[in-house]
Amino acid sequence: MDNFIDYAFEAWPGFVVRTGLLKCSAMGYERAPSFCVSQESKDSHLVIYVMYGGLYIEQDRKRFSAVSGQCVLLTLRKAHRYYTDQEHPAHILWVLFEGELLDGLMMKYAESGDLPYVFSSDTVVENICQCFEIFRRCGPSHQESLSPVLYRMVLGILKDKMFCCQYQPITIEETLKQEINRYIDAHISRKITLDELAACANMSKFHFSR
């Protein structure tokens, strides 16, 4: 961490930034026994990596916590507060971004109650460190270099969240039920016999009844 200063710095977008880019509006490294950031709303989003210690996040009357090695994704368009304390001092890296490319997705997750999102990802940590390296090497005017990294990072986080659900495999019995229901729906206007339903399920009437 010798290349990073130990207080927040800001890198505001230059004139080359176009609507189609994700803009890195600020990034920073904070290290303090305790700190608190509280805002009503801001037209941007935030990724935080907790390097050491613990961090608390409050939004939508919910309280979350992230510990060393974890990351947090949240939208700042809703009132929010994140802080640490003397018992759990934190070292954090954070990247503030904005842009129409991901606004819709971010707000969709926020409205569904899925943000803030606390997670662990080596890839995201690498992306965050890459943003700092680009800033150190190129300066704040090189938004074209930062934008693809931000886009891959945030889209990767949301992709993982979209597909993190555990899906139950569909059984043969469930498949048969679906086929029979479709047959009944298609012929609901007339009398349907047991022989027809058994044939639909490719079974004898005895096995189908059982």
Side-chain angles (χ1 to χ4, degrees):
M1 295 302 297
D2 293 337
N3 293 329
F4 299 128
I5 54 179
D6 62 356
Y7 56 87
F9 61 86
E10 294 186 342
W12 297 104
F15 71 95
V16 296
V17 175
R18 298 180 298 277
T19 303
L21 292 177
L22 279 188
K23 299 175 274 291
C24 177
S25 51
M27 63 175 74
Y29 165 48
E30 294 188 38
R31 179 183 67 191
S34 63
F35 60 83
C36 179
V37 177
S38 180
Q39 295 173 317
E40 285 302 312
S41 65
K42 194 168 185 175
D43 193 23
S44 54
H45 318 290
L46 181 67
V47 175
I48 301 172
Y49 167 49
V50 182
M51 302 174 64
Y52 308 105
L55 187 71
Y56 303 102
I57 308 101
E58 294 179 358
Q59 194 171 55
D60 285 338
R61 298 183 181 179
K62 298 178 183 177
R63 187 172 185 261
F64 305 79
S65 62
V67 298
S68 177
Q70 290 187 313
C71 302
V72 183
L73 173 69
L74 68 156
T75 179
L76 306 187
R77 292 188 173 182
K78 295 185 175 183
H80 58 279
R81 181 173 177 247
Y82 60 91
Y83 57 93
T84 186
D85 54 38
Q86 294 282 352
E87 293 184 7
H88 306 94
H91 294 215
I92 66 171
L93 292 177
W94 53 269
V95 178
L96 196 67
F97 66 94
E98 58 188 87
E100 296 178 8
L101 278 174
L102 290 176
D103 277 352
L105 271 177
M106 289 293 294
M107 293 313 297
K108 170 182 174 291
Y109 280 103
E111 289 165 4
S112 65
D114 289 337
L115 293 181
Y117 176 38
V118 180
F119 61 96
S120 298
S121 171
D122 292 339
T123 302
V124 170
V125 175
E126 290 175 8
N127 292 149
I128 293 173
C129 292
Q130 190 176 356
C131 287
F132 275 77
E133 178 60 25
I134 290 171
F135 179 85
R136 187 189 67 82
R137 188 177 69 247
C138 302
S141 62
H142 287 70
Q143 289 290 337
E144 293 96 333
S145 299
L146 288 168
S147 183
V149 178
L150 287 170
Y151 187 81
R152 287 195 302 270
M153 177 179 70
V154 181
L155 196 61
I157 297 170
L158 296 179
K159 173 182 67 67
D160 290 341
K161 187 157 183 58
M162 278 190 274
F163 295 104
C164 68
C165 301
Q166 298 295 319
Y167 294 98
Q168 296 297 324
I170 298 177
T171 63
I172 295 175
E173 290 80 5
E174 186 62 32
T175 303
L176 286 174
K177 288 178 183 178
Q178 292 176 3
E179 288 294 327
I180 292 166
N181 285 335
R182 279 195 287 267
Y183 186 88
I184 292 173
D185 289 340
H187 303 87
I188 195 70
S189 60
R190 66 173 178 80
K191 183 179 179 180
I192 301 171
T193 67
L194 186 60
D195 291 298
E196 286 180 85
L197 295 180
C200 178
N202 198 25
M203 293 180 176
S204 70
K205 185 164 64 172
F206 170 77
H207 282 98
F208 181 78
S209 299
R210 189 181 64 170

